Amino acid sequence: QVQLVESGGGLVQPGGSLTLSCAVSGDIFSINDMGWYRQAPGKERELVAGITRSGTPKYPESVKGRFTISRDKAKNTVYLQIKSLKPEDTAVYYCNALTQGVPGALDYWGQGTQVTVSS
């Protein structure tokens, strides 16, 4: 069992910055990869950042240069730093963990945190 709790969302102006946090608890040793996803109204959920068990970050081309994923191992927390926010970044942001499971890999999700970019 893995539990994920996101925090840090809110209302920001275009061009501003925001840092989201994902607190991880439970069987953290079973986690292979983690990531941040977002879902805007009327759109499919999309990956915006990932990080491997070894700590290697990965980003889709659409957000590279503005989004940074990192972790604090001692605090069991994964962060998503967003800079130069745009109105199209408005979405619910979800933390995700991919673990080994039976019969196969299992996905765990947080409840999400709302990010709204508006002037």
Side-chain angles (χ1 to χ4, degrees), residues 22-70:
C22 175
V24 186
S25 61
D27 187 11
I28 61 174
F29 298 105
S30 69
I31 299 174
N32 289 325
D33 302 281
M34 295 194 65
W36 284 94
Y37 292 72
R38 69 183 180 188
Q39 187 166 23
K43 298 183 65 178
E44 298 294 323
R45 188 171 299 186
E46 64 172 335
L47 175 71
V48 296
I51 188 166
T52 68
R53 187 181 182 92
S54 63
T56 302
K58 295 184 177 181
Y59 310 94
E61 191 67 29
S62 60
V63 305
K64 191 176 298 182
R66 297 195 303 116
F67 286 39
T68 302
I69 188 170
S70 62

Side-chain angles (χ1 to χ4, degrees), residues 97-112:
L98 179 65
T99 72
Q100 297 185 44
V102 179
L106 297 176
D107 270 332
Y108 292 88
W109 297 90
Q111 293 183 339

Side-chain angles (χ1 to χ4, degrees), residues 5 24 31-32 42 49 53 59 63 73 76 78 80 88 96 101 108 113-114 117:
V5 180
V24 186
I31 299 174
N32 289 325
R53 187 181 182 92
Y59 310 94
V63 305
K73 187 176 180 180
N76 289 330
V78 178
L80 181 68
E88 52 263 44
N96 167 262
Y108 292 88
T113 184
Q114 176 72 48
V117 185

Side-chain angles (χ1 to χ4, degrees), residues 4-23:
L4 309 172
V5 180
E6 303 97 334
S7 62
L11 175 64
V12 296
Q13 294 184 335
S17 299
L18 200 63
T19 298
L20 309 181
S21 299
C22 175

